[in-house]
Amino acid sequence: CLEIELKCHSAKHPTVAVTYHNMATALEKLGQLREAKEAVEKAVERLLLTKDANDEEVKRNRKYLRHLE
């Protein structure tokens, strides 16, 4: 899914951030915390291309990142 989204959408498309977040939750459940953290970091990076740092979605992802740390 991510590969297709990266080909079809611009770097600023929010769908890509959602996919990174979803990947992180799956990776966390598999016990792959380092990879989950990396995915959430990518989600935050994508979101910040189009949203303010105080946006609720950005805050949610940063909170999840702290949880993973």
Side-chain angles (χ1 to χ4, degrees), residues 36-68:
K37 182 182 169 194
E38 290 171 3
V40 176
E41 288 170 345
K42 289 179 182 178
V44 171
E45 288 172 15
R46 291 286 177 148
L47 289 169
L48 289 174
L49 293 174
T50 58
K51 297 180 184 250
D52 184 79
N54 291 319
D55 180 83
E56 288 303 315
E57 191 173 4
V58 174
K59 288 180 180 179
R60 237 185 342 267
N61 276 274
R62 285 189 167 154
K63 182 179 178 181
Y64 185 48
L65 183 58
R66 287 189 302 274
H67 161 78
L68 292 172

Side-chain angles (χ1 to χ4, degrees), residues 1-23 39 42-47 49 57 61:
C1 179
L2 177 63
E3 187 176 321
I4 292 168
E5 287 178 354
L6 290 172
K7 287 180 182 178
C8 295
H9 298 298
S10 72
K12 295 182 177 184
H13 201 282
T15 299
V16 177
V18 172
T19 300
Y20 277 122
H21 177 85
N22 291 342
M23 288 172 55
K42 289 179 182 178
V44 171
E45 288 172 15
R46 291 286 177 148
L47 289 169
L49 293 174
E57 191 173 4
N61 276 274

